[in-house]
Amino acid sequence: MNIHWLDYLVVFGVTLVAALTVVGIYSFGVRLYAVSQDEDSATMPTNRLALAKAGAFTCFALSAVAVLYGIYLIVPALHN
């Protein structure tokens, strides 16, 4: 029996990078959404708040797409 240890390291690295990317994008979206809902934002321009909210929803959508793609890769029944 021959185990390819390098392949395990590649899978570990890709998994780590993908997980950190998805979590980072989602947390950035949470931060942008919190900024757009801040009560002290009366001094900020309205278009900046709208841009922060749009950025937050974009980050949430990217996170959802990444999770759905991961599910697609894992479930073999979806490949038909």
Side-chain angles (χ1 to χ4, degrees):
M1 187 160 112
N2 190 8
I3 298 175
H4 299 280
W5 291 105
L6 184 62
D7 293 341
Y8 284 118
L9 290 176
V10 169
V11 170
F12 174 76
V14 170
T15 303
L16 185 65
V17 169
L20 290 175
T21 302
V22 171
V23 170
I25 290 172
Y26 186 81
S27 63
F28 189 62
V30 169
R31 175 68 180 141
L32 285 175
Y33 189 74
V35 166
S36 72
Q37 299 296 318
D38 195 11
E39 291 183 10
D40 294 336
S41 61
T43 60
M44 293 182 73
T46 310
N47 60 352
R48 193 168 192 182
L49 296 175
L51 187 62
K53 189 178 279 191
F57 289 140
T58 302
C59 288
F60 295 150
L62 285 174
S63 296
V65 166
V67 168
L68 290 175
Y69 183 66
I71 292 171
Y72 169 76
L73 290 176
I74 291 171
V75 178
L78 299 176
H79 294 255
N80 292 334

